[in-house]
Amino acid sequence: MASDPHALRARKQPRQARAELTRQRILAAAAHVFAEYGYAAGTTNRIAERARISIGSLYQYYPNKDAILLELVTRHLDAGAAALRERQDGDRRDPLEAIMRGFVRAVIDNHLDDPKLLQVMAEQTPRAPELMERMARHDRERVAYTRELLASHPEVRVTDIDVAAHLVTCAVDLAVHQLVAAPRSLDARRLENELVAMLTRYLTGG
């Protein structure tokens, strides 16, 4: 793992369409290589070969594979956050079960990629300060939204709204990471149904 924060940053910020396409090819190739070979054997040479570019061209964009993995994880987090915001913009007057289903489905859908790649992300990503802050910010946003929702929804019967908001977000994250993003994963829709039922019964006192 690279210890220098500067060694984890992309070197070139694409300003032209062709440069952006090259970066996208590198990231797509890295995702396939990490999933196929694992992180230790997922070398930059293999990534460059899969992307059909020279190793020198790859290093113009990323100093090492740690930086590539960090960007893959950052994009994964941002995609999940964007999907949840879209769900949150819906009608909060919907039945609580429908709201919980939208929340759970958004998290599950963001974890339906190759479980081997997700495992690499979970175990090998450098804990860079920028990434940790981004993760903390996403968590704060989700808890704040959930707290507001629970406080205003007429079906909610829990007494400690603050703790409930944390429990709901943590329960979904833990369940999905452990049971979907795993080599022997559960069927995603079966997991969705049970999670929704569990959360709805807890929140409504059913």
Side-chain angles (χ1 to χ4, degrees), residues 32-185:
H32 287 293
V33 167
F34 292 152
E36 182 176 352
Y37 295 98
Y39 195 63
T43 62
T44 50
N45 282 321
R46 279 184 164 143
I47 295 170
E49 182 180 2
R50 180 67 64 92
R52 296 182 180 180
I53 62 174
S54 69
I55 189 67
S57 294
L58 183 148
Y59 284 135
Q60 289 180 5
Y61 290 84
Y62 298 98
N64 49 56
K65 66 180 183 178
D66 282 353
I68 298 174
L69 181 60
L70 187 61
E71 181 146 351
L72 284 173
V73 172
T74 298
R75 291 183 170 218
H76 172 74
L77 288 172
D78 289 348
L84 282 171
R85 289 190 192 103
E86 286 185 11
R87 303 275 184 177
Q88 291 168 2
D89 289 338
D91 194 341
R92 299 190 187 191
R93 295 171 296 179
D94 285 347
L96 187 63
E97 181 179 355
I99 295 174
M100 288 296 104
R101 186 170 298 280
F103 178 56
V104 170
R105 183 170 294 177
V107 177
I108 288 178
D109 286 350
N110 195 42
H111 290 79
L112 291 180
D113 296 322
D114 191 316
K116 292 182 180 179
L117 174 61
L118 292 171
Q119 189 173 11
V120 168
M121 288 182 175
E123 297 177 357
Q124 302 293 337
T125 302
R127 295 302 186 253
E130 292 178 5
L131 175 64
M132 302 308 292
E133 173 54 32
R134 186 183 297 262
M135 293 172 64
R137 185 172 67 252
H138 288 336
D139 287 343
R140 289 194 299 269
E141 290 175 356
R142 287 192 301 156
V143 170
Y145 164 79
T146 305
R147 184 188 297 112
E148 182 182 349
L149 169 69
L150 299 183
S152 60
H153 202 284
E155 293 182 52
V156 173
R157 295 289 181 270
V158 292
T159 55
D160 194 327
I161 296 296
D162 188 62
V163 171
H166 283 83
L167 281 176
V168 168
T169 54
C170 288
V172 175
D173 279 349
L174 288 173
V176 171
H177 280 102
Q178 292 294 322
L179 301 176
V180 173
R184 294 182 178 180
S185 59

Side-chain angles (χ1 to χ4, degrees), residues 178-199:
Q178 292 294 322
L179 301 176
V180 173
R184 294 182 178 180
S185 59
L186 291 179
D187 177 77
R189 296 313 162 203
R190 289 171 58 201
L191 175 61
E192 175 188 313
N193 289 336
E194 293 305 309
L195 266 176
V196 170
M198 180 184 74
L199 293 173

Side-chain angles (χ1 to χ4, degrees), residues 7-24:
L8 299 175
R9 295 175 182 167
R11 283 178 166 157
K12 178 185 288 188
Q13 295 300 321
R15 296 181 180 179
Q16 298 179 346
R18 187 170 65 177
E20 176 58 26
L21 286 174
T22 300
R23 186 172 72 156
Q24 296 294 341

